[in-house]
Amino acid sequence: MKLVRVGQPGAERPGVIDAQGRVRDLSGVIADIGAADLAPAALARLAQVDAASLPVVEGARFGVPWTGIGKIIAIGLNYADHAAEAGMPLPAEPIVFLKANSSLNGPDDDVMLPLGSEKTDWEVELGVVIGSTARNVSRDQALRHVAGYCVVNDVSEREFQIERGGTWDKGKGCDTFCPAGPWLVTRDEVPDPQALGLWLEVNGERVQKGSTATMVFDVATVVSYVSRFMTLLPGDLIATGTPPGVGMGFKPPRYLKAGDTMRLGVDGLGVQTQRVVAYAER
């Protein structure tokens, strides 16, 4: 299934994408798509719903495709060629950091430059959505705890991240810095998460192109590893790293400015489009 939430911010309603690519309204079946609805049994019940019998929704905004996200975990330098362009050694273990939940953003909503930003960058990533509690799980059991996958843009302010001391988190958690969606694609539709192409364009120029096949640590390893250090709960999101082509890696570096447009996607998981806007009080 391809699950969605559509409508204005704070008033999204649940939906599903039918075989023809249309949004069908699920609000007569469930009130919303929350963490509890990502459990295997709950997803199995939703899969029995005849999408063709549901009302069609036309022209609605896509929101983050599920709610009840307890935490956003991200993995740094998880593509060897991205580590090389960043001039950093290949990690011996996954680099783990957090993005603030307040950075969540609809997949096509504006991305806002933070106050004082001069080095805001782009990062297309495969997002992993947890469906059942994972604590100290083995690698061979890890994917059983995954509800599905989505596109994530791990927008990053490089000065805040690298030059301002402390952890990476301050450059990763700014408002609007985690567009997610448009769909949550359930695990059964992604038989091999290590065979997905990723790409990102800035103002129509393709700057990132890669494949999850080149991850340093694959999805199963990441889920298992993170579950040793924190309990993964239904609804949690893991952003698994980005391929090369980020702005920081260009010579000279290239960063986003107001008026730019990002377009990005992951095979089978949909496409996002964001306009970059200047800082404004929200």
Side-chain angles (χ1 to χ4, degrees):
M1 289 180 293
K2 295 180 175 68
L3 299 173
V4 299
R5 294 171 68 247
V6 294
Q8 292 306 303
E12 293 94 344
R13 60 190 188 277
V16 64
I17 304 297
D18 69 14
Q20 288 72 44
R22 296 171 296 192
V23 177
R24 297 283 186 158
D25 191 343
L26 268 176
S27 57
V29 179
I30 52 174
D32 205 345
I33 301 170
D37 301 297
L38 304 180
L43 289 177
R45 287 192 296 271
L46 278 180
Q48 298 304 309
V49 175
D50 178 13
S53 69
L54 302 174
V56 174
V57 180
E58 299 282 3
R61 164 192 172 269
F62 286 97
V64 177
W66 76 104
T67 189
I69 299 170
K71 55 186 173 290
I72 306 167
I73 306 110
I75 308 300
L77 303 178
N78 198 27
Y79 288 71
D81 33 13
H82 172 53
E85 74 173 351
M88 302 182 76
L90 209 61
E93 297 186 34
I95 296 172
V96 179
F97 61 92
L98 298 176
K99 288 178 75 78
N101 281 25
S102 53
S103 70
L104 283 163
N105 207 29
D108 300 324
D109 292 347
D110 292 345
V111 166
M112 183 177 66
L113 298 173
L115 182 65
S117 169
E118 295 184 358
K119 297 182 178 181
T120 294
D121 205 347
W122 55 83
E123 294 191 14
V124 61
E125 307 205 2
L126 171 66
V128 177
V129 185
I130 300 300
S132 59
T133 300
R135 183 184 299 112
N136 294 314
V137 299
S138 64
R139 182 185 177 281
D140 64 342
Q141 296 294 313
L143 294 186
R144 297 188 180 188
H145 296 271
V146 173
Y149 303 92
C150 68
V151 182
V152 171
N153 190 353
D154 177 21
V155 186
S156 308
E157 213 298 342
R158 301 301 189 188
E159 180 189 359
F160 299 177
Q161 175 190 354
I162 298 168
E163 302 173 34
R164 300 289 290 272
T167 65
W168 287 9
D169 298 22
K170 68 180 72 172
K172 296 286 192 170
C174 303
D175 289 352
T176 74
F177 269 26
C178 190
W183 314 320
L184 189 167
V185 180
T186 51
R187 191 181 75 221
D188 59 295
E189 292 200 12
V190 186
D192 184 1
Q194 305 311 139
L196 303 175
L198 307 85
W199 57 270
L200 184 145
E201 298 171 349
V202 178
N203 300 329
E205 177 188 356
R206 185 152 297 192
V207 290
Q208 284 191 279
K209 183 179 181 181
S211 169
T212 57
T214 66
M215 281 183 177
V216 180
F217 306 103
D218 65 14
V219 170
T221 298
V222 165
V223 172
S224 173
Y225 182 86
V226 173
S227 78
R228 301 179 202 171
F229 302 99
M230 62 191 82
T231 299
L232 295 171
L233 299 172
D236 285 352
L237 171 63
I238 304 175
T240 55
T242 197
V246 299
M248 180 176 64
F250 280 83
K251 300 187 188 314
R254 296 165 55 177
Y255 295 114
L256 295 166
K257 60 186 184 300
D260 286 343
T261 298
M262 293 179 283
R263 187 170 180 269
L264 59 146
V266 178
D267 289 351
L269 305 185
V271 173
Q272 303 182 355
T273 304
Q274 296 116 26
R275 182 172 61 106
V276 180
V277 298
Y279 174 79
E281 294 289 345
R282 301 185 81 194

